[in-house]
């Protein structure tokens, strides 16, 4: 059966790329999101993958552009739908939010066909995503520094929680944040439609970090193997799971000197970082409020009072 997504159309054993038209830009030209359809020669499940929902998060499109050329539809059972760049307008200007309506795309799901710019893009991609049996929404810790991890956002009481957790384990970054996300996330809205969904969060960088992209590529292939799109055997690996997330903000201004590396485990009371003057004097020493793992840090060393410094994944276990 021919599968279509926007102008992309692929019969069994074929790959096609095209555009999913969503509206017009300010000069009146129609615009569309770049899409690809990989239609396997054999029947199977459908996987939906999207990238650049946040316009400055480029690792996802790095993953997509490396994965698609490696897929041989003759070897695949099932169909894979890709949207390579979701936040079209933000991507053009390398910003996080859609500049047309100053909205964060991942708060706009499931979207609205007649809504704002972001709501319309959300509705068009939600429509495509909900044709699938599994959804990967490729994100990263924006331009801050972050470990590579996968987020389960549906919440522990959701009927699809175990399925989402399994998908996160199959992706296999090694770390999972299992915490209900804010309203409007694709990984919140799609499980309500009965589709296991996760947000792989592939590190954090300005531009491309090849190591995080490689983890994303491996993750997509792990999912394809585990859910039988590919015949490759796969053994699931245990994941370190954070059930809580603690943020630290600066209580004074200065330069942040971290005493721990990203991915380090820390015990409650251990020093996380110091805030220092330009002459190396310590203004404040900040210790961990809980046991946890250093999950994310700011990129630039200088902080003003109240600015974000870092986050700990807390309440750790493994599964
Ligand atoms: Zn994001």
């Amino acid at each position: 059966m021919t599968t279509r997504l926007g102008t992309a159309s692929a019969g069994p054993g074929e790959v096609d790329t095209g555009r999913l038209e969503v509206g017009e830009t300010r000069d009146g030209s129609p615009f569309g999101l770049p899409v690809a359809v990989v239609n396997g020669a054999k029947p199977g499940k459908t996987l939906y993958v999207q990238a650049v929902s946040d316009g400055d998060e480029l690792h996802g499109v790095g993953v997509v552009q490396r994965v698609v050329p490696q897929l041989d539809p003759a070897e695949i059972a099932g169909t894979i739908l890709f949207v390579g760049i979701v936040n079209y307008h933000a991507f053009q200007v390398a910003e996080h939010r859609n500049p047309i309506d100053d909205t964060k795309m991942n708060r706009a799901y499931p979207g609205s066909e007649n809504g704002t710019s972001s709501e319309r893009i959300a509705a068009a991609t939600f429509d495509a995503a909900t044709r699938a049996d599994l959804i990967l929404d490729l994100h990263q810790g924006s331009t801050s520094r972050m470990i590579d991890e996968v987020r389960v956002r549906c919440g522990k009481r959701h009927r699809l929680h175990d399925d989402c957790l399994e998908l996160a384990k199959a992706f296999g970054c090694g770390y999972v944040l299992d915490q209900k996300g804010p309203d409007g996330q694709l990984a919140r809205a799609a499980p309500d439609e009965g589709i296991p969904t996760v947000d792989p969060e592939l590190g954090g960088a300005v531009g491309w970090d090849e190591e995080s992209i490689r983890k994303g590529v491996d993750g997509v292939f792990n999912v394809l193997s585990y859910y039988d799109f590919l015949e490759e055997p796969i053994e699931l690996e245990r994941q370190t799971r954070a059930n809580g997330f603690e943020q630290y903000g600066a209580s004074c201004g200065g330069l942040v000197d971290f005493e721990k590396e990203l991915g380090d485990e820390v015990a409650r009371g251990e020093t996380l970082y110091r805030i220092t003057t330009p002459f190396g004097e310590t203004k404040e020493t900040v210790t961990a409020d809980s046991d946890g793992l250093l999950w994310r840090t700011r990129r630039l060393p200088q902080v003003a009072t109240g600015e974000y410094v870092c986050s700990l994944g807390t309440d750790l276990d493994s599964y």
Side-chain angles (χ1 to χ4, degrees):
M1 204 178 69
T2 299
T3 300
R4 291 187 174 81
L5 178 56
T7 61
S9 169
E14 292 176 352
V15 178
D16 196 21
T17 61
R19 292 271 163 180
L20 177 63
E21 212 177 282
V22 191
E24 295 185 350
T25 60
R26 285 169 173 168
D27 68 1
S29 330
F31 78 94
L33 315 181
V35 295
V37 176
V38 178
N39 193 347
K42 292 163 271 185
K45 295 188 172 71
T46 298
L47 171 68
Y48 172 84
V49 182
Q50 72 171 32
V52 199
S53 168
D54 294 313
D56 58 352
E57 298 186 357
L58 305 179
H59 286 164
V61 65
V63 170
V64 169
Q65 70 145 216
R66 286 159 178 78
V67 166
V68 172
Q70 292 184 57
L71 295 174
D72 177 0
E75 306 270 292
I76 289 171
T79 304
I80 311 155
L81 306 173
F82 292 94
V83 177
I85 297 162
V86 170
N87 202 335
Y88 178 93
H89 304 288
F91 174 81
Q92 306 298 332
V93 291
E95 282 175 13
H96 193 77
R97 297 157 79 93
N98 179 353
I100 303 296
D101 55 12
D102 193 28
T103 296
K104 185 170 161 71
M105 184 67 66
N106 210 22
R107 300 291 180 273
Y109 283 93
S112 162
E113 257 177 58
N114 303 308
T116 62
S117 170
S118 294
E119 286 169 349
R120 286 170 192 246
I121 293 172
T125 49
F126 193 70
D127 219 35
T130 50
R131 290 162 57 187
D133 303 295
L134 301 158
I135 296 172
L136 301 175
D137 185 12
L138 302 175
H139 283 262
Q140 67 192 56
S142 180
T143 56
S144 66
R145 298 171 63 243
M146 197 166 80
I147 60 169
D148 305 294
E149 43 115 334
V150 180
R151 295 192 177 180
V152 171
R153 293 312 226 166
C154 64
K156 290 183 180 170
R157 291 188 178 162
H158 199 282
R159 67 191 168 91
L160 255 63
H161 179 252
D162 286 351
D163 300 290
C164 293
L165 214 52
E166 189 179 3
L167 179 55
K169 187 172 187 170
F171 196 90
C173 274
Y175 298 98
V176 172
L177 177 62
D178 185 7
Q179 194 183 53
K180 191 173 185 179
D183 280 344
Q185 291 192 327
L186 178 58
R188 279 280 313 275
D192 289 347
E193 304 295 314
I195 307 164
T197 304
V198 294
D199 288 355
E201 295 274 347
L202 304 168
V206 180
W208 276 349
D209 178 297
E210 288 300 325
E211 183 67 12
S212 289
I213 291 173
R214 189 187 57 73
K215 287 216 175 140
V217 170
D218 290 349
V220 173
F221 277 102
N222 289 343
V223 166
L224 292 174
S225 299
Y226 183 71
Y227 292 94
D228 300 324
F229 293 85
L230 296 171
E231 277 181 22
E232 317 285 320
I234 176 174
E235 279 202 24
L236 294 190
E237 287 176 15
R238 285 189 86 76
Q239 306 290 303
T240 298
R241 172 169 71 162
N243 297 282
F245 206 56
E246 225 166 57
Q247 291 210 18
Y248 291 75
S251 60
C252 61
L255 297 151
V256 181
D257 284 340
F258 283 99
E259 305 250 320
K260 294 284 177 184
E261 301 281 329
L262 274 185
D264 279 355
E265 290 208 20
V266 293
R268 182 165 180 266
E270 265 193 286
T271 300
L272 276 177
Y273 60 88
R274 292 178 304 122
I275 296 181
T276 56
T277 70
F279 310 107
E281 303 148 291
T282 298
K283 293 180 75 178
E284 196 188 15
T285 301
V286 176
T287 58
D289 293 334
S290 311
D291 294 344
L293 187 137
L294 188 56
W295 203 272
R296 178 178 179 170
T297 72
R298 64 183 290 106
R299 179 164 297 279
L300 296 174
Q302 67 269 41
V303 283
T305 305
E307 265 194 299
Y308 173 79
V309 177
C310 68
S311 312
L312 284 189
T314 61
D315 197 1
L316 302 176
D317 59 14
S318 79
Y319 79 102

